[in-house]
Amino acid sequence: MIFLIEYDRRKGELITLKRFRDSDRLKAQNKRLEIELDLNHKGINHEVVLLEAAKEAMIRRTHRRYFETPRQIAKSVKAGK
Amino acid sequence: MTTKFSKTQIDRLGDRLRKGNLTDADFRLLDEYRRSFGEVYEIVVRAIRERLKLEPTGRPAKSTGSIVDKLHRESIRLSQVQDIAGCRIVVSDVKEQDRIVGLLLNVFPRASIVDRRVHTSFGYRAVHVIPRISGKLIEVQVRSLLQHSWAELSERVSDVFDPAIKYGVGNNMILKILMDNSERVKQIETMEDQILVASEDRLKLRVLQQEIIDTKKELVNHLNKLILIVEGREEKKV
């Protein structure tokens, strides 16, 4: 699956998470560009990124900063996860 | 595989990215440039999935913000950025990390290796395997769970405080906590490695196990300090 993420770095906040099928890669890439252009016109500085993984749980594990607070990340160090 | 861009064209785009005030045409050119890595990225990720039966998370194109950050902090040109596309694999520990790196080298024998466990980058530890295919580089990040948690926390703190923190600049207290904890991660992983060798020696084994527990406690205590600083900052922003 393909995941399109819009993330506010300054606030550490996930703005949107859109899901696309693997076969819709072009659609996902076009959407990413469309969002980036729109944000630029509005003068908003958000990170827009595409990630690909078999399951959503995987991106939540490998790219935790988009989904978890520092406290949650630190907690997992304690739990060894 | 054809390349539509000249190096000069891409490097001039990099200069404009550095300066800011990008036009739609700049965004479109950067988008096209990133997409030009798609075919090679696919080859690498498919090889990892099919030949190694691993499930990496792919990131087919580095975000604009991350590219701009990189151009600002390093005196490199856009055409030299080697992680435009890549993927990440998170494994349990250093032993498994070494095994996976070995497997990746079997698949991509001419790949270059950047061992950030030896040459850390402002506390960041991981191993990057970088195959070059058709002149394009794809960065495969292999991280242990502890290295990964440190990296994600460092990124998250950089997001909220200052993107430069990730690169060793900014709030000294935060930098110190991050660097000290990176060192603790190294100590824990070294001791975990020694445990395998010491498994026959019960006394040595017990000492190492206790040292790991103590170092992990220290790590968690220092992370809690860091969290209090970050949460204080986040509350101020709301």
Side-chain angles (χ1 to χ4, degrees):
Chain A
M1 273 193 92
I2 301 169
F3 303 90
L4 174 60
I5 287 172
E6 183 186 341
Y7 174 72
D8 183 337
R9 286 171 81 176
R10 247 191 94 249
K11 289 186 179 163
E13 203 176 285
L14 181 70
I15 307 296
T16 51
L17 171 63
K18 291 185 199 301
R19 298 159 185 88
F20 296 85
R21 283 183 299 226
D22 289 333
S23 54
D24 286 336
R25 172 179 292 187
L26 191 61
K27 207 169 148 185
Q29 287 175 329
N30 291 340
K31 188 71 189 166
R32 195 195 64 76
L33 176 62
E34 185 191 312
I35 294 174
E36 230 176 22
L37 289 172
D38 184 49
L39 290 171
N40 188 45
H41 293 163
K42 292 175 181 163
I44 299 171
N45 183 16
H46 286 174
E47 183 167 321
V48 189
V49 69
L50 285 178
L51 296 176
E52 297 184 356
K55 290 176 186 165
E56 187 174 322
M58 291 177 60
I59 63 159
R60 287 182 179 272
R61 181 172 183 259
T62 55
H63 291 75
R64 294 163 64 175
R65 80 181 236 264
Y66 297 128
F67 305 99
E68 295 180 34
T69 62
R71 187 171 284 276
Q72 287 168 321
I73 297 172
K75 223 177 187 179
S76 72
V77 173
K78 220 187 290 186
K81 283 180 194 166
Chain B
M1 211 175 301
T2 54
T3 303
K4 295 183 232 168
F5 322 95
S6 68
K7 262 191 178 177
T8 313
Q9 198 182 357
I10 293 307
D11 291 335
R12 282 188 184 147
L13 172 63
D15 292 339
R16 295 196 293 279
L17 284 168
R18 225 181 246 120
K19 286 177 192 154
N21 294 327
L22 295 173
T23 64
D24 280 6
D26 291 331
F27 273 101
R28 288 183 197 283
L29 179 58
L30 180 60
D31 188 60
E32 256 189 86
Y33 178 59
R34 287 183 292 206
R35 287 188 200 206
S36 72
F37 285 75
E39 204 174 318
V40 172
Y41 159 84
E42 271 289 310
I43 292 170
V44 171
V45 171
R46 200 180 309 131
I48 294 172
R49 287 199 173 121
E50 291 175 4
R51 293 181 59 186
L52 302 182
K53 308 290 177 211
L54 293 170
E55 276 299 344
T57 297
R59 196 218 49 199
K62 194 175 181 71
S63 73
T64 304
S66 303
I67 291 174
V68 171
D69 283 352
K70 195 157 209 167
L71 292 172
H72 272 297
R73 74 171 193 272
E74 291 171 18
S75 54
I76 54 167
R77 297 190 293 269
L78 179 55
S79 63
Q80 293 174 315
V81 174
Q82 60 180 25
D83 61 345
I84 292 287
C87 63
R88 182 176 295 166
I89 302 167
V90 179
V91 299
S92 56
D93 52 30
V94 169
K95 196 178 168 230
E96 181 64 1
Q97 186 177 33
D98 287 338
R99 192 181 75 84
I100 298 295
V101 169
L103 292 175
L104 286 166
L105 280 176
N106 285 339
V107 177
F108 310 109
R110 297 178 66 192
S112 52
I113 300 280
V114 179
D115 193 339
R116 292 263 171 243
R117 299 172 304 184
V118 181
H119 306 287
T120 59
S121 174
F122 307 107
Y124 173 72
R125 321 181 95 86
V127 182
H128 294 179
V129 180
I130 309 166
R132 178 192 287 270
I133 299 171
S134 304
K136 292 201 184 304
L137 301 168
I138 304 293
E139 184 180 87
V140 184
Q141 299 177 350
V142 187
R143 296 176 176 177
S144 75
L145 207 47
L146 263 184
Q147 292 162 6
H148 177 56
S149 296
W150 183 95
E152 291 291 296
L153 197 59
S154 158
E155 289 250 20
R156 192 66 158 76
V157 172
S158 300
D159 288 340
V160 179
F161 258 86
D162 176 358
I165 281 180
K166 218 166 58 172
Y167 308 108
V169 183
N171 185 303
N172 283 336
M173 199 192 300
I174 290 183
L175 287 173
K176 185 170 180 349
I177 295 175
L178 284 171
M179 289 304 287
D180 287 351
N181 279 335
S182 167
E183 193 52 39
R184 285 188 186 95
V185 167
K186 182 188 172 185
Q187 285 168 9
I188 291 167
E189 293 192 325
T190 305
M191 287 187 283
E192 281 176 344
D193 224 25
Q194 287 168 350
I195 271 191
L196 298 168
V197 183
S199 55
E200 297 292 308
D201 183 340
R202 286 189 167 220
L203 180 64
K204 198 174 177 188
L205 192 62
R206 233 178 281 155
V207 170
L208 277 171
Q209 283 168 336
Q210 191 54 50
E211 276 182 28
I212 289 175
I213 291 169
D214 293 344
T215 314
K216 273 195 177 170
K217 270 185 197 161
E218 275 177 34
L219 179 67
V220 169
N221 286 341
H222 282 81
L223 289 181
N224 286 337
K225 269 189 209 166
L226 183 64
I227 285 158
L228 288 176
I229 301 170
V230 175
E231 287 181 344
R233 170 72 167 240
E234 283 178 333
E235 270 170 27
K236 273 184 202 165
K237 277 189 185 171
V238 173

